[in-house]
Amino acid sequence: MSKRNKSLMDLMTRFPRTWDEGFTFSMISAAAALAISSFLARAGAQQVGTLKAETHPALTISTCTSTGCSTENDQVVLDANWRWAHSTSGSTNCYTGNTWDATLCPDSATCVANCAVDGADYSGTYGITTAGNALTLKFVTGSNVGSRTYLMDSETTYKKFELLGQEFTFDVDVSKLPCGLNGALYFVPMAADGGMSTTNKAGAKYGTGYCDAQCPRDLKFINGSANSEGWVPDSNSANSGKGNMGSCCSEMDVWEANSMANAVTPHSCKVNEPTMCTGDDCTRNTGLCDADGCDFNPYRMGNTSFFGVGKTIDTSKPVTVVTQFITADGTTTGTLSEIKRFYVQNGVTYAQPNSDIAGVTGNSVTDSFCTAQKTAFGDTDYFGTNGGMATMGEAFSKGMVLVMSIWDDYAANMLWLDSNYPLDKDAATPGVARGACATTSGVPADVEASAATSQVIFSNIKIGPLGSTFTAPA
């Protein structure tokens, strides 16, 4: 071990450390810190390709006040993980299927020196299109499956949303999202420049810097370093695998949904900035982040007639979704205390229905709701352990990047959203039934074949003070 690495490891075990503007080493084990610092010491920089020009689709949103809303001209960018990674000297794939090229990427340092991510054909390759204030994400386009996009306020920076004391509103059409799919809209505290630095030349323009509360290890590049070392191809996916490193941060799932079910779910972490993890720190729930979150899914909370095709909120039609982030003192700098949800459809406003689960009251996400829900469902309260609503609010205070995606689930077939889950529990047990989809649904090979034409449309995004983006019920 070099003196530099040992000193860095010793420092990181005592204090948080920012690494090249985008990522933080914070509250991680000494072993993990050593592994990551040694890894990065050998790494070069994530390169930018020149074979395809990068042109971001335009998307307008509205910023509102008590007197009205104004239009903001923004754009969306595709996540780097979906992009073509090829040799800097030509067009040889650095990554094909779920495997790194052994010649170009024998180790991380060589890989980042040899490989570049390139521009994207948004509509032709990825099925991503915009029209005014609407973003359409198609599920399967050619050989591509799913996509993840971020909202930008310039060619090179993500838009950072200040959510405390605000409400966020959007229209969504999930009519073409069957069981097993997820049209998701959520926030994570990514760096505005995508972590652009001496180790990341691509930056936000090419969709770098992702993190979430699952601490994903399927990212090909993290903070400008190739995640090729220790990479193991997934046995059930021809396109993905996992490396030694993951990328953790708190996550606010405003909307995870298909036509059968929806959930709003904050996830708290021990870290509130994009943070590399290795080993146990990447582990679900017991590592750096609360992967399960504290969800409010109306079906799971006992109201099985509220959301779905032909139900109170009829998912065969578009719906306006309003989410309010309320602070304890009513200011935009206070402690996050409550997350409230409203729906507007056919000119009628509906509050989130009250819980019908014994021992759990209310229709909004609060610390007391989460504690009661975890107790009623027999789940461990990792959300509360990691600081609950206050920690989620601390992440908000750093500014949040808007993510919009469409995906299927190779880990659990999306049963945690729209069916009975876990499968080893009786469906009558409180918290197990989450939607009306069959427990045999959602298998990626099935939905990719039978539901290839699926899509989600997000539109009419608005942000502003409470009550400024819709007419709240009296």
Side-chain angles (χ1 to χ4, degrees), residues 46 51 90 169 249 254 264 303 362 374 447 453 467:
Q46 187 172 355
L51 300 182
T169 297
C249 63
V254 174
V264 52
N303 191 323
K374 297 294 184 181
V447 294
T453 59

Side-chain angles (χ1 to χ4, degrees), residues 123 141 163 172 182-183 208 211 228 305 309 316 322 355 374 385 436 445:
S123 60
T141 303
L163 298 176
V172 63
N182 191 334
T208 69
C211 61
S228 56
S305 62
V309 177
S316 68
V322 183
S355 166
K374 297 294 184 181
T385 298

Side-chain angles (χ1 to χ4, degrees), residues 199-267:
T199 61
N200 178 0
K201 295 179 180 179
K205 181 177 180 179
Y206 292 88
T208 69
Y210 183 67
C211 61
D212 68 33
Q214 307 302 314
C215 297
R217 292 170 48 218
D218 65 339
L219 302 178
K220 300 181 185 73
F221 293 90
I222 298 178
N223 197 25
S225 298
N227 199 15
S228 56
E229 295 187 12
W231 187 268
V232 178
D234 286 340
S235 61
N236 63 344
S237 171
N239 297 310
S240 64
K242 295 179 179 62
N244 286 337
M245 300 188 303
S247 182
C248 307
C249 63
S250 293
E251 173 183 353
M252 180 63 236
D253 291 328
V254 174
W255 181 258
E256 291 194 283
N258 53 38
S259 60
M260 303 296 287
N262 88 84
V264 52
T265 312
H267 300 257

Side-chain angles (χ1 to χ4, degrees), residues 126-150:
Y126 300 102
I128 300 170
T129 58
T130 60
N133 65 18
L135 169 67
T136 299
L137 303 177
K138 295 187 180 299
F139 178 44
V140 176
T141 303
S143 61
N144 180 73
V145 177
S147 61
R148 184 165 63 223
T149 64
Y150 311 116

